[in-house]
Amino acid sequence: LSAIADVTRLAGVSTATVSRVLSGLDGVSPRLRGRVLRSVDELGYRPNAVARSLRVGATHTLGLVVCDVLNPFFTELARAVEDEAREAGYAVILGNADERPERQDAYVEALLDRRVDGLLISPAVKTSPLIQTAVRRGASIVCVDRTVEGLDVPTVRADGSRSTAELVDHLVGLGHRRIATIAGPQATITGRERLVAFLGALAAHGLEVPEGHVELGSFQQGSGHAAMRRLLTLPERPTAVFAADNLMALGALQALRAAGLRVPDDMALASFDDSPWFELIDPPITAIAQPTAELGRVAVRALLDVLAGRHARSRLLESRLVVRASCGEQVAGHVGAGVRAHAEQELED
Amino acid sequence: LSAIADVTRLAGVSTATVSRVLSGLDGVSPRLRGRVLRSVDELGYRPNAVARSLRVGATHTLGLVVCDVLNPFFTELARAVEDEAREAGYAVILGNADERPERQDAYVEALLDRRVDGLLISPAVKTSPLIQTAVRRGASIVCVDRTVEGLDVPTVRADGSRSTAELVDHLVGLGHRRIATIAGPQATITGRERLVAFLGALAAHGLEVPEGHVELGSFQQGSGHAAMRRLLTLPERPTAVFAADNLMALGALQALRAAGLRVPDDMALASFDDSPWFELIDPPITAIAQPTAELGRVAVRALLDVLAGRHARSRLLESRLVVRASCGEQVAGHVGAGVRAHAEQELED
DNA sequence: CTGAAAGCGCTTACAG
DNA sequence: CTGAAAGCGCTTACAG
């Protein structure tokens, strides 16, 4: 691999001139410019971005640490992030926390060591001393989907409360009274928020949640499977289950299939996070759709704002209920009113 | 952010000593070592990996360029790559070619500029002059899933021919005679291989493929949808369709649903690439499963071999047919014989 | 055991 | 318009 010195030698100019030509600065005579360009071409010279980064103090690289790359929600998010970042001239290094705080922290550290210009994190849990001190030391960080408690950084997420309440209305409207949930980890804001909204909405209908009707999962597939299996052994079985994410819904469905139970007759099922597969299941699965790609794009833009020294707002996008058949016969026109497509409101300012 | 100079100042030692302590080299007195460690701790000093990389000529970072991150196959692959790389102390920068050659090349260039130690590529198309010259200039590259023509680098992929032939046997055994395919791009080895195997297997059964029964898709969801719609308008409609990947099968299924057709009675469907959703569809979808995660891990190990100057073999893993109900009533014991779980054979050496 | 110094490959004031 | 030189933050021979 050739270095700038090879070019200077071949072109008979100084490194300053080579650098100026390649940076597109003017103030270089056409003659020298031509010689530089020809030499660069002949050598196939490409500037070393590592050296450049050290010198200019920026890597034009963003870090993205997600909770679980196997979760389609985060896949789609990552894709949008990568897309938006690329358009702005940034590469992105991806880290997968696998829902484990220590792995998340290891990634945050590795990315910061590599001097990424900014970091996009969907924190595995609500607390992270490491992230706290990183921010205090001046790291540019934006949280997406989830927040870290007491951390003063812009956060981009979708509200889950409202659509969860709509979902409960939908279920109750269809006659369900014993509604269970497979909740996410209560150490995450999304897991917590969805459970609180679920319980609150049931209470608003005067419904109590019996012992054992709140299962705590890990947001991963296996935990959804196990939780549904436990729910099925309950003496007073629920008639409907709300899974707090995509992957747990998948696991729950597998458990229902394995038990030979039919949806929605034996058990209604609804999920947070939509999936293109849901409409192909028989019956199609009712779900709450997040504006996933938009979350990613908005988060990147917020991070770019931070990097540019501009003020970046936190943003709370809307999620929306997509009613299909998995909770029972649909009452015509029942839910339409509450549904707004990805409208958005602000958290702060 | 503090630099090594801050530590030397606080600890009253030279940069050499700080560097030695942090690199875990011995030959530093306990007294100085203690002072360095205390100062590092107090400052929260973390060595700048960019500077280190420039000095030692290695970034401990791998690049991964995949065709399409929205494709679950590549998601799972990426996850395995990231996992295996992390265990070896490497971070991975992810690039998404989105099945577009020019975007792939842009990523390859950006990653090489950033001096990744090695590059894992699943090339969007069979030819890439850029990759060719990169290899000639000494870049460490391993191909995964797909190859580049005439490129002499280790390649890790799964054989699709054998299981595709098994699938055709399965279809013919169930009485299908008019079998169509939604093939992948013929400029990719996987797309080509699967189509060639499909046509070959039909020929072995004495079956011809009528005009219009070979649809060419892009490996992406929309193309599967469009292709199935076209197949449905054919005067002599096929009774079975083989989709050359996951996403096109998803699109095809959506088209069948939209047309109100039942699987397998109105149309049998099988797919290359398995999905956890397939067993939840009614009927469960017959598919060819690749050892995806293993492909990723093996590819990383091959790349690490290259980086270590060891010889790395190309590897051809086996894929396997997973018979479910989407092609018709299953004849008991019919396919079992040909099925081997992820056995493997070598391409070279 | 310790430090002064060179050097990785760039960019960018500074001087001419 | 051009180049010599400093410096980004490290590591690593080299000398003592």
Side-chain angles (χ1 to χ4, degrees), chain A residues 10-174:
Chain A
L10 189 60
V13 298
S14 70
T15 73
T17 298
V18 174
S19 179
R20 282 186 195 113
V21 170
L22 293 180
S23 305
L25 300 178
D26 44 27
V28 178
S29 71
R31 242 184 86 253
L32 289 201
R33 174 180 305 275
R35 266 157 54 191
V36 167
L37 258 18
R38 235 168 296 122
S39 306
V40 163
D41 203 54
E42 186 173 334
L43 293 167
Y45 168 72
R46 303 272 318 170
N48 181 331
V50 175
R52 178 163 207 289
S53 292
L54 179 60
R55 176 59 231 246
V56 305
T59 53
H60 272 255
T61 302
L62 264 28
L64 170 65
V65 181
V66 297
C67 304
D68 183 4
V69 278
L70 285 195
N71 190 324
F73 170 76
F74 289 112
T75 305
E76 198 181 334
L77 187 77
R79 194 247 153 99
V81 164
E82 188 265 355
D83 243 46
E84 189 78 17
R86 189 182 40 70
E87 274 171 33
Y90 286 83
V92 1
I93 309 189
L94 180 67
N96 174 31
D98 203 25
E99 301 282 4
R100 288 187 264 183
E102 69 283 1
R103 185 167 295 188
Q104 163 193 289
D105 282 357
Y107 255 116
V108 168
E109 206 140 60
L111 293 170
L112 256 19
D113 287 351
R114 282 178 170 78
R115 296 299 187 268
V116 292
D117 294 339
L119 211 44
L120 232 41
I121 311 182
S122 68
V125 291
K126 276 192 292 202
T127 54
S128 172
L130 178 75
I131 297 179
Q132 298 265 22
T133 70
V135 169
R136 207 175 318 119
R137 293 213 173 97
S140 299
I141 294 184
V142 163
C143 284
V144 58
D145 182 52
R146 305 183 187 176
T147 58
V148 171
E149 238 162 35
L151 188 68
D152 187 29
V153 302
T155 299
V156 177
R157 44 189 303 273
D159 176 47
S161 301
R162 176 204 184 112
S163 33
T164 298
E166 279 177 23
L167 172 63
V168 169
D169 293 348
H170 171 63
L171 286 165
V172 171
L174 292 172

Side-chain angles (χ1 to χ4, degrees), chain A residues 234-303:
Chain A
L234 252 32
E236 266 216 312
R237 205 188 256 181
T239 65
V241 172
F242 168 47
D245 89 338
N246 221 323
L247 288 178
M248 296 196 298
L250 170 59
L253 267 169
Q254 291 172 323
L256 287 172
R257 281 295 156 98
L261 296 175
R262 285 166 318 160
V263 177
D265 303 332
D266 298 320
M267 179 76 82
L269 182 75
S271 168
F272 210 101
D273 289 341
D274 201 5
S275 160
W277 293 102
F278 278 163
E279 39 170 333
L280 296 173
I281 304 284
D282 186 27
I285 307 294
T286 291
I288 293 170
Q290 299 194 63
T292 315
E294 200 187 344
L295 284 174
R297 284 192 297 264
V298 169
V300 169
R301 288 199 292 264
L303 186 53

Side-chain angles (χ1 to χ4, degrees), chain A residues 208-253:
Chain A
E208 300 223 326
V209 179
E211 182 78 23
H213 275 209
V214 174
E215 282 285 344
L216 290 181
S218 68
F219 274 145
Q220 294 176 313
Q221 184 176 342
S223 72
H225 190 101
M228 180 57 90
R229 290 236 310 253
R230 282 192 297 273
L231 288 173
L232 293 179
T233 66
L234 252 32
E236 266 216 312
R237 205 188 256 181
T239 65
V241 172
F242 168 47
D245 89 338
N246 221 323
L247 288 178
M248 296 196 298
L250 170 59
L253 267 169

